[in-house]
């Protein structure tokens, strides 16, 4: 048996299906975001990035950069170990306190990413609470699905944002059965926002714990950037909040915020926390500065909302098939993996617009799309250029039933 030939067959199939992933080689320009240099096979070009998860541009904020420089000079590069063995730096302690305050919880726990936080927390909860049934929204992120699977307990998948379906499934179990309702606030590929209050009502009614992933909402929503739950006045009703430091806050890392007992249990039993080196102090310092700034400044959020609304309105006016939603996500439907890659290649190579094609397994087959994420730093000129490029492509490409029949080169 040739192991490599077997693996090569899988890669070949990805190419044939148009799902082979090509990483864009980028160097962001400090002080000029969303501009970046793209390094391709035929040289380098300056491009405008339209798909960054640095939603507010905080990765370029002087508040963040100066804090990171100071921490680097004070502490050096790495943390030096796991949190238990020499790797708890004072910046970690301050950051966890800041996160707990952001979500009005007793405690918070840092992870190397929000993916690890979801995986480790959900699986550990099932291990510590035998018999727990997890009720998972069908569009939950892969990290939540991984955590549920790793826990090995029973699960119920409910229809996306459908509280009636959730209740039907909750009714199947006795009141004494331990239950966790796991869902997101902002679903990153469609831009949907969940009915958090209604879900919390069901959790109260059926004696369930609530686990809310606010990854695409922290920093972005609420008067202090606490997420959709803060905006909707229901943050106190959510038992565990998962968040990231890598999107709205512009740095890196993930966390949970919850009661002191919950955080202590995960800290003490989750292997995904115990056996990994902690975040570098410089990262923690940057995230700390970002959260502190966004707790008191609404300038970034207000400008961001205006830019998102402008881009959506311009796309609709130009006849671009943008998916309607109430969030900051701007998905444009293509509906075919090969065509989606062709469109994004044309945008990158002919118009110097970078947006990544989104294909299966991130989204279901037949719903391939481009996912635009306007930031407060995108200018009117950059929006004009984007809409012009998209309009040119759409006019050149015949469409049937909402999907491309053929893709022109430019």
């Amino acid at each position: 048996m040739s192991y490599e030939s077997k693996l090569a067959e899988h890669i070949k199939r990805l190419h044939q299906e148009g799902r082979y992933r090509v990483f864009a080689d980028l160097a962001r320009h400090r002080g000029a975001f969303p501009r970046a240099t793209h390094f391709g096979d035929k040289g380098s070009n300056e491009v405008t990035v339209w798909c960054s998860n640095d939603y507010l541009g905080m990765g370029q904020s002087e508040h963040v950069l100066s804090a990171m420089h100071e921490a680097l000079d004070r502490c050096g590069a790495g943390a030096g170990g796991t949190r238990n063995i020499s790797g708890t730096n004072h910046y970690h302690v301050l950051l966890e306190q800041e996160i707990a305050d952001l979500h009005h919880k007793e405690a918070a726990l840092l992870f190397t990413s929000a993916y690890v936080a979801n995986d480790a927390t959900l699986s550990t909860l099932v291990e510590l609470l035998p018999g727990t049934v997890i009720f998972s929204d069908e569009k939950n992120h892969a990290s939540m699905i991984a955590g549920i699977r790793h826990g090995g307990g029973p699960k119920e998948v409910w229809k996306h944002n459908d509280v009636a379906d959730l209740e039907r499934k909750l009714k199947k179990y006795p009141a004494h059965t331990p239950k966790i309702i796991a869902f997101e606030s902002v679903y990153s590929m469609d831009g949907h926002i969940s009915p958090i209050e209604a879900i919390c009502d069901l959790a109260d009614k059926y004696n369930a714990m609530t686990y809310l992933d606010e990854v695409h909402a922290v920093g972005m929503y609420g008067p202090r950037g606490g997420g959709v739950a803060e905006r909707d006045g229901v943050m106190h009703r959510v038992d565990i909040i998962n968040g990231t430091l890598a999107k709205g806050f512009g740095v890196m890392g993930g966390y949970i915020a919850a009661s002191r007992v919950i955080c202590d249990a995960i800290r003490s039993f989750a292997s995904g926390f115990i056996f990994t080196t902690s975040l570098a102090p410089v990262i923690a310092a940057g995230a700390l500065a970002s959260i502190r700034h966004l707790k008191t400044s609404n300038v970034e959020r207000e400008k961001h909302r205006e830019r998102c609304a402008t881009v959506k309105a311009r796309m609709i006016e130009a006849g671009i098939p943008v998916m309607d939603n109430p969030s900051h996500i701007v998905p444009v439907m293509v509906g075919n993996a090969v065509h989606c890659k062709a469109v994004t290649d044309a945008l990158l190579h002919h118009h110097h617009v970078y947006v990544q094609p989104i294909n299966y397994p991130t989204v279901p087959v037949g719903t391939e799309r481009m996912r635009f994420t306007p930031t407060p730093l995108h200018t009117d000129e950059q929006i004009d250029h984007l809409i012009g490029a998209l309009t040119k492509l759409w006019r050149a490409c015949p469409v049937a039933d909402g999907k491309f029949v053929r893709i022109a080169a430019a």
Side-chain angles (χ1 to χ4, degrees):
M1 174 180 175
S2 171
Y3 296 104
E4 290 202 2
S5 65
K6 290 292 184 182
L7 297 174
E9 288 176 11
H10 288 285
I11 299 299
K12 181 180 179 180
R13 188 157 57 247
L14 284 180
H15 279 286
Q16 292 171 340
E17 295 171 357
R19 296 195 294 115
Y20 183 76
R21 297 178 184 229
V22 178
F23 296 161
D25 184 354
L26 301 170
R28 300 209 299 175
H29 298 174
R30 176 180 173 178
F33 182 75
R35 305 298 291 169
T37 299
H38 172 250
F39 299 90
D41 295 336
K42 298 181 181 180
S44 61
N45 287 291
E46 188 173 285
V47 299
T48 302
V49 178
W50 275 100
C51 57
S52 174
N53 282 341
D54 186 1
Y55 293 135
L56 299 177
M58 291 302 291
Q60 301 286 315
S61 167
E62 286 303 322
H63 299 284
V64 174
L65 297 181
S66 61
M68 295 180 78
H69 281 295
E70 180 183 343
L72 184 63
D73 291 338
R74 176 179 295 175
C75 300
T82 65
R83 288 292 297 273
N84 185 53
I85 305 176
S86 82
T88 295
N89 186 277
H90 190 52
Y91 283 112
H92 298 129
V93 176
L94 294 176
L95 179 53
E96 286 175 338
Q97 292 172 352
E98 202 72 33
I99 291 168
D101 175 78
L102 175 67
H103 294 292
H104 296 306
K105 300 298 183 187
E106 291 179 342
L109 193 64
L110 281 172
F111 291 82
T112 49
S113 74
Y115 186 109
V116 175
N118 272 336
D119 187 354
T121 303
L122 286 167
S123 60
T124 302
L125 286 171
V126 174
E127 292 169 8
L128 297 179
L129 302 170
T132 295
V133 181
I134 295 188
F135 298 80
S136 177
D137 185 289
E138 67 179 347
K139 290 200 173 184
N140 275 344
H141 190 262
S143 58
M144 301 175 79
I145 295 170
I148 294 166
R149 286 175 177 167
H150 290 162
K155 68 177 184 295
E156 293 277 355
V157 178
W158 48 287
K159 295 177 183 178
H160 177 55
N161 276 354
D162 188 336
V163 291
D165 188 53
L166 173 59
E167 183 165 23
R168 281 192 292 270
K169 289 178 166 53
L170 286 165
K171 283 181 177 179
K172 292 163 54 178
Y173 297 87
H176 64 267
T177 300
K179 310 171 190 73
I180 298 173
I181 303 173
F183 61 110
E184 302 181 41
S185 58
V186 176
Y187 288 84
S188 63
M189 291 300 129
D190 297 322
H192 299 159
I193 293 180
S194 64
I196 301 175
E197 183 174 20
I199 293 170
C200 289
D201 288 342
L202 289 180
D204 291 344
K205 183 177 179 180
Y206 293 97
N207 190 32
M209 179 183 289
T210 46
Y211 185 100
L212 175 62
D213 181 317
E214 288 256 40
V215 160
H216 292 274
V218 289
M220 315 287 295
Y221 298 85
R224 299 199 310 159
V228 176
E230 183 192 31
R231 183 198 70 178
D232 293 352
V234 293
M235 196 160 54
H236 62 289
R237 301 185 64 189
V238 178
D239 294 298
I240 303 173
I241 292 175
N242 168 276
T244 187
L245 305 168
K247 294 181 172 62
F249 295 125
V251 192
M252 178 186 176
Y255 63 83
I256 61 167
S259 70
R260 189 167 287 107
V261 170
I262 290 174
C263 287
D264 198 21
I266 303 304
R267 181 188 73 87
S268 300
F269 291 96
S271 60
F273 175 83
I274 295 169
F275 297 107
T276 190
T277 300
S278 57
L279 288 173
V282 64
I283 298 291
L288 178 64
S290 185
I291 293 173
R292 284 178 174 171
H293 175 74
L294 289 174
K295 278 182 177 178
T296 60
S297 174
N298 273 306
V299 173
E300 294 83 1
R301 285 187 282 274
E302 290 171 358
K303 181 65 174 178
H304 180 258
R305 285 193 290 270
E306 181 275 321
R307 294 284 82 180
C308 291
T310 297
V311 169
K312 286 182 178 181
R314 292 287 304 278
M315 285 184 174
I316 292 169
E317 182 183 8
I320 307 301
V322 60
M323 298 170 62
D324 185 37
N325 65 65
S327 75
H328 60 283
I329 308 298
V330 186
V332 171
M333 186 60 69
V334 177
N336 177 282
V338 173
H339 295 166
C340 195
K341 181 67 164 60
V343 171
T344 56
D345 281 350
L347 286 171
L348 179 63
H349 298 303
H350 298 284
H351 301 282
H352 307 303
V353 167
Y354 170 55
V355 59
Q356 190 71 13
I358 306 296
N359 300 324
Y360 179 84
T362 306
V363 296
V365 172
T367 68
E368 292 81 5
R369 69 200 63 178
M370 296 177 287
R371 175 182 175 272
F372 294 90
T373 53
T375 75
L377 302 177
H378 280 93
T379 66
D380 289 338
E381 291 75 18
Q382 288 166 341
I383 294 175
D384 288 341
H385 180 70
L386 170 67
I387 300 303
L390 287 172
T391 301
K392 184 177 180 181
L393 281 170
W394 251 252
R395 287 175 178 170
C397 304
V399 174
D401 298 326
K403 298 181 181 181
F404 286 100
V405 176
R406 173 177 55 80
I407 299 296

